Amino acid sequence: MSSQANPTVTHGGHDAPHQPVFVGETRARLEALYPKYPTKMACLLPALWMVQEARGWISEPAINEVAEVLELTPAYVKGVVTFYTMYHTHPVGRHFIQVCTTSPCNICGAEDVVKALLQATGCEELGATSADGRFTVIEVECLGACGFPTPILIDDDFIESVTPESVPGLLKRYA
């Protein structure tokens, strides 16, 4: 996904009823992976990506569905989901913004970039979603671009050298 969010993603809240993900084309995509991996269990990360791609986050019912499809326990799947920070365990905005705030970026103004993002998106705090459902902003430990502070990741778009002044223009691409 590049500058535009996937229009088929349903960013339902906690109260939205679970709709199975692994039916039709998505089930076929998952099953096409089986021969490429030594076991069904090895398809867990791609299966979780498919859920997140389809729903925007990974709910408890989705964890149960993945467990059933891959013949794993829900506890095992939940352990993997909660271990990796790349999986969302609650609804997030259509555009997910990650800001590097480790020491090198912080020295170069990352906190001001965070403040500008929170203000421009309408998110009241880190981890919260804007009232219009468009954005969620979080801090991350490192995006691996210490030479180009402050780097941010919006959806799958990696952007280097972000300043507080550049934030409004960047966000226009994600309207």
Side-chain angles (χ1 to χ4, degrees):
M1 221 169 359
S2 63
S3 298
Q4 298 299 318
N6 183 346
T8 62
V9 173
T10 56
H11 291 266
H14 288 281
D15 298 332
H18 177 72
Q19 297 294 319
V21 174
F22 294 103
V23 295
E25 184 181 319
T26 306
R27 180 67 175 245
R29 282 178 46 216
L30 178 63
E31 290 177 356
L33 293 176
Y34 293 167
K36 298 177 183 182
Y37 290 90
T39 64
K40 275 186 167 183
M41 175 191 272
C43 293
L44 179 54
L45 297 181
L48 293 171
W49 274 120
M50 289 177 189
V51 171
Q52 189 158 286
E53 179 182 77
R55 300 291 183 250
W57 66 294
I58 302 172
S59 66
E60 287 291 329
I63 287 172
N64 293 333
E65 180 184 2
V66 170
E68 183 179 330
V69 168
L70 296 180
E71 301 171 1
L72 302 169
T73 66
Y76 183 83
V77 175
K78 185 171 186 167
V80 171
V81 169
T82 57
F83 175 80
Y84 291 105
T85 59
M86 62 193 175
Y87 297 120
H88 310 307
T89 56
H90 55 82
V92 297
R94 287 190 314 273
H95 299 293
F96 190 70
I97 304 171
Q98 301 174 66
V99 185
C100 179
T101 57
T102 50
S103 297
C105 290
N106 229 339
I107 290 169
C108 295
E111 289 302 322
D112 291 332
V113 171
V114 168
K115 288 176 188 172
L117 282 164
L118 291 174
Q119 182 179 8
T121 61
C123 295
E124 295 182 10
E125 60 186 48
L126 288 167
T129 299
S130 60
D132 62 6
R134 288 178 46 210
F135 299 104
T136 300
V137 180
I138 66 163
E139 290 179 309
V140 292
E141 278 304 306
C142 185
L143 290 175
C146 299
F148 305 97
T150 294
I152 67 173
L153 191 61
I154 302 179
D155 302 327
D156 294 329
D157 298 335
F158 189 80
I159 306 161
E160 298 172 334
S161 305
V162 177
T163 64
E165 297 76 25
S166 67
V167 165
L170 285 173
L171 294 178
K172 285 182 182 176
R173 292 191 264 174
Y174 301 90

